[in-house]
């Protein structure tokens, strides 16, 4: 049976059960007195308004109280009742349920307008039926027990759902704010990295372009020296900006020791236990002090009761046990506190189960409920036994509801604190990772150009005295590459560039290339296209550095419809390597490819060459078996 359907069934059964119980009580109380029985049976029908308690709690309370007032006025005209006709119990249960519904299903207006009605009803009943007890005591009982306790319990139960909804909305706002902070940090860090790298690189590239364009004596040597210096500076900066992994955790990052599960911060309850203790002491002393036969014993037992209740914030079960021992001792040895003239028993019956349910763990809370029930039944009059049981159970349930709410708030608070600590660490990590990623991007985008510049300048220097035309061509290539790299830096963003242009630039630098595959295999995914560009660029840069003169094969293929394979391999070097590297390029590429769900491997071939193989997922699919334009 589903939750909503179960709730509807229970909602219908409660009024039906209470109407039946009220009718049975009316027959029992009015047996032999037709007038009392008739009034009671008519009053039992009024209990049916509890069916409206969920949708119209204020209306249900008003209708019930109005029916009870009418019944009280009619009963005042009937002959005085016998002992059997006093002490209606079901209407009290109905008032408890209606008071609970005011806060559980109603709003503040319903509580403010409906809460005073049971108090006024009790005052009216005591006014027309003096034998029912003291009017002041009855109204206090109604205010505390019939209204205060159930309204508090209803608020605790209903507020838990509202609290969870508020927490979800708050967490959604925090997530959005965190995402905005991440975007802001990435943008700020991007500016810092560009400020650190681009100024020096742009100035150096401008010097190279102007020197290459001038073509004066020694231009090739100046270009080669400047390009090598910029390349070394770029590698050094990349290493400096790359975060170290696996560092020690600072004390600020260590999580605070966790409290045991189910622990309530009991010191928050201390003011309430002191207030309850004071009220219980006054409720015991004021009505009975004129009847003390042993003043010292009375003061001792009152002090023990007050101290035990006040200490329940720290020792709930022990405090409840001692409090009931003091109440029973006072009732047996000093004065009767179980009569309708005192509030001691009702107050302690409500307070101790509530505090035990709030402050103790579930098993100990059950033991505390048993103690409270035993103490209440020992002190209550015979006609009030069922009422004591109901009040104790309701108060205990209210304490459990408050405990659940407090624990929920505490768990949420700790979860938010932990999330805040993790988010601070995430922000720090984002700063480092963004810095490293941008530095590697600069290295990838500009490092290739610097490698081409250095190699071409070296070739121009060697050809300077033997082939002036070849030297001039090499310097022209140097100037073009330098201007392209400077333009890329000036744009403020790192563009991957066109794969055809990259391959054409490598050929101009003297690399012997064989390309197979098709550009359309890249699809329309900019991220995949940029990654393919970086893979080919890094592989060509490494081939020019470590295997000068070697033949390079670039292959793009689709082994599956959803996978793209990039293979770049070079043969053995035909000359001595003239440039060294940082050793971080392929590692950074492997991380980048893995982040996209692909894989990258690099290895030395049996012939002494080197091959890089990467597999990448592709979202945009070219028609299988089509013949797109080949990469040149």
């Amino acid at each position: 049976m589903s939750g909503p359907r179960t709730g509807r069934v229970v909602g219908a059964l409660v009024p039906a059960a209470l109407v039946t119980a009220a009718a049975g009580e009316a027959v029992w109380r009015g047996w032999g007195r037709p007038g009392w029985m008739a009034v009671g049976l008519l009053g039992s029908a009024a209990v049916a308004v509890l069916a409206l308690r969920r949708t119209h709690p204020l209306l249900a309370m008003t209708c019930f109280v109005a029916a009870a007032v009418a019944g009280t006025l009619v009963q005042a005209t009937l002959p005085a009742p016998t002992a059997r006709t006093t002490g209606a119990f079901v209407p009290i249960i109905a008032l408890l349920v209606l008071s609970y519904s005011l806060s559980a299903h109603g709003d503040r207006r319903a509580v403010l307008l409906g809460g005073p009605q049971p108090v006024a009803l009790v005052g009216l009943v005591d006014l027309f039926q003096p034998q029912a007890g003291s009017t002041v005591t009855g109204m206090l009982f109604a205010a505390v027990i019939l209204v205060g306790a159930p309204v508090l319990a209803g608020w605790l139960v209903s507020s838990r759902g509202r609290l969870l909804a508020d927490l979800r909305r708050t967490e959604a706002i925090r997530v959005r704010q965190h995402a905005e902070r991440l975007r802001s940090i990435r943008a700020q860090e991007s500016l810092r990295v560009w400020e650190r790298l681009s100024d020096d690189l742009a100035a150096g590239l401008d010097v190279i372009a102007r020197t290459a364009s001038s073509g004066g004596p020694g231009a090739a040597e100046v270009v080669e020296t400047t390009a090598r210096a910029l390349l070394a500076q770029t590698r050094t900066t990349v290493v400096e900006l790359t975060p170290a992994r696996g560092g020690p955790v600072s004390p600020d990052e260590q999580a605070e020791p966790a409290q045991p599960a189910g622990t309530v911060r009991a010191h928050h309850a201390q003011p309430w236990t002191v207030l309850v203790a004071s009220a219980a002491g006054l409720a015991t002393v004021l009505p009975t002090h004129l009847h003390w036969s042993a003043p010292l014993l009375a003061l001792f037992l009152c002090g023990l009761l007050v101290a035990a209740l006040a200490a329940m914030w720290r020792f709930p079960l022990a405090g409840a046990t001692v409090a009931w021992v003091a109440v029973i001792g006072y009732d047996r040895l000093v004065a009767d506190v179980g009569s309708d003239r005192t509030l001691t028993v009702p107050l302690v019956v409500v307070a101790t189960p509530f505090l035990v349910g709030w402050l103790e763990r579930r098993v100990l809370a059950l033991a505390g409920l048993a103690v409270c029930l035993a103490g209440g039944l020992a002190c209550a009059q015979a006609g009030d036994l069922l009422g004591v049981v109901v009040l104790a159970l309701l108060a205990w349930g209210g304490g459990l509801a408050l405990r659940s709410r407090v624990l929920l708030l505490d768990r949420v608070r700790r979860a938010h604190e932990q999330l805040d600590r993790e988010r601070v660490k995430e922000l720090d990590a984002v700063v480092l990772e963004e810095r490293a990623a941008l530095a590697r991007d600069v290295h990838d985008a500009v490092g290739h150009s610097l490698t081409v510049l250095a190699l071409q300048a070296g070739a121009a220097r060697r050809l300077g005295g033997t082939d002036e035309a070849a030297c001039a061509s090499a310097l022209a290539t140097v100037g073009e590459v330098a201007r392209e790299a400077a333009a890329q830096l000036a744009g403020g963003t790192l563009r991957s560039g066109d794969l055809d242009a990259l391959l054409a630039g490598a050929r101009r630098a003297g690399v012997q290339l064989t390309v197979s595959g098709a550009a359309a295999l890249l699809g329309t995914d900019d991220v995949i296209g940029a990654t393919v560009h970086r893979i080919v660029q890094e592989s060509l840069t490494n081939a020019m550095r470590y295997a000068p003169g070697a033949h390079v094969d670039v292959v793009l293929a689709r082994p599956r419809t959803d996978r793209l394979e990039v293979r770049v391999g070079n043969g053995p070097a035909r000359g001595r390597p003239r440039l060294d590297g940082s050793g971080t390029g392929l590692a950074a590429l492997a991380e980048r490819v893995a982040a996209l769900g692909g894989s990258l491997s690099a290895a030395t071939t049996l012939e002494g060459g080197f091959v890089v193989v990467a597999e990448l997922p592709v979202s945009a699919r070219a028609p299988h078996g089509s013949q797109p334009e080949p990469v040149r």
Side-chain angles (χ1 to χ4, degrees), residues 9-24 44 47-51 53 90:
V9 171
V10 173
L13 287 178
V14 170
L18 287 179
V19 167
T20 304
S44 64
V47 179
V49 300
L50 266 71
R53 72 189 188 282
V90 175

Side-chain angles (χ1 to χ4, degrees), residues 151-396:
V151 164
L152 175 61
W155 175 78
L156 290 173
V157 172
S158 63
S159 65
R160 190 176 190 274
R162 293 193 296 268
L163 175 64
L164 287 173
D166 291 341
L167 290 174
R168 283 192 291 267
R169 286 193 295 269
T170 301
E171 182 59 25
I173 293 173
R174 291 162 71 99
V175 169
R176 288 197 298 269
Q177 291 175 343
H178 181 63
E180 292 172 359
R181 290 183 66 189
L182 287 177
R183 287 194 295 269
S184 175
I185 284 177
R186 286 192 170 99
Q188 293 172 4
E189 197 59 30
S190 176
L191 290 176
R192 292 192 186 99
V193 172
W194 277 108
E195 289 172 357
R196 180 166 178 178
L197 286 174
S198 62
D199 290 345
D200 291 340
L201 287 173
L205 290 170
D206 184 61
V207 170
I208 292 174
R210 286 190 285 105
T211 303
S213 299
S214 66
E221 185 175 356
V222 172
V223 169
E224 183 180 13
T225 303
T226 306
R228 289 176 179 272
L230 285 178
L231 189 59
Q233 178 184 345
T234 303
R235 289 199 303 268
T236 301
T237 305
V238 168
V239 173
E240 290 176 355
L241 295 180
T242 301
R245 300 182 182 274
V249 179
S250 65
D252 293 339
E253 295 176 349
Q254 295 176 355
E256 65 178 75
Q259 272 190 312
T263 300
V264 174
R265 296 176 181 266
H267 61 274
H268 293 166
Q270 187 175 10
W272 299 103
T273 58
V274 172
L275 180 62
V276 169
S278 302
L282 292 174
T284 303
V285 171
L286 294 180
T288 63
H289 69 282
L290 297 177
H291 307 286
W292 284 355
S293 57
L296 292 179
L297 179 60
L299 291 175
F300 170 75
L301 291 175
C302 284
L304 185 62
L305 171 63
V306 171
L309 291 175
M312 285 189 69
W313 71 273
R314 185 68 179 83
F315 306 102
L317 179 58
T321 304
V322 174
W324 276 111
V325 169
V327 171
I328 295 172
Y330 193 95
D331 184 65
R332 299 289 189 271
L333 303 176
V334 178
D336 181 15
V337 293
S339 66
D340 294 336
R341 301 290 176 179
T342 65
L343 287 176
T344 302
V345 172
L347 182 60
V348 180
V349 162
V350 172
T352 51
F354 181 83
L355 293 173
V356 166
W358 175 17
L359 300 173
E360 277 289 13
R361 295 175 180 271
R362 184 61 57 90
V363 175
L364 295 180
L366 286 171
L369 175 63
V371 169
C372 296
L373 287 174
L377 294 176
C379 295
Q381 296 179 347
D384 298 331
L385 296 181
L386 184 57
V388 166
V389 174
V390 172
L391 288 177
L393 290 174
L394 289 175
W396 187 70

Side-chain angles (χ1 to χ4, degrees), residues 7 40 71 87 96 104 139 143 188 261 267 308 338 358 386 408 498 514 556 575 581 607:
L96 289 172
M139 294 182 71
Q188 293 172 4
H267 61 274
W358 175 17
L386 184 57
L408 173 64
D498 180 66
T514 299
L556 295 179
E607 295 80 11

Side-chain angles (χ1 to χ4, degrees), residues 209 212-213 453 474-486 508:
S213 299
L453 290 174
L475 287 176
T477 301
V478 166
E480 182 181 350
V481 172
R483 284 188 292 272
E484 289 177 357
R508 287 198 305 269

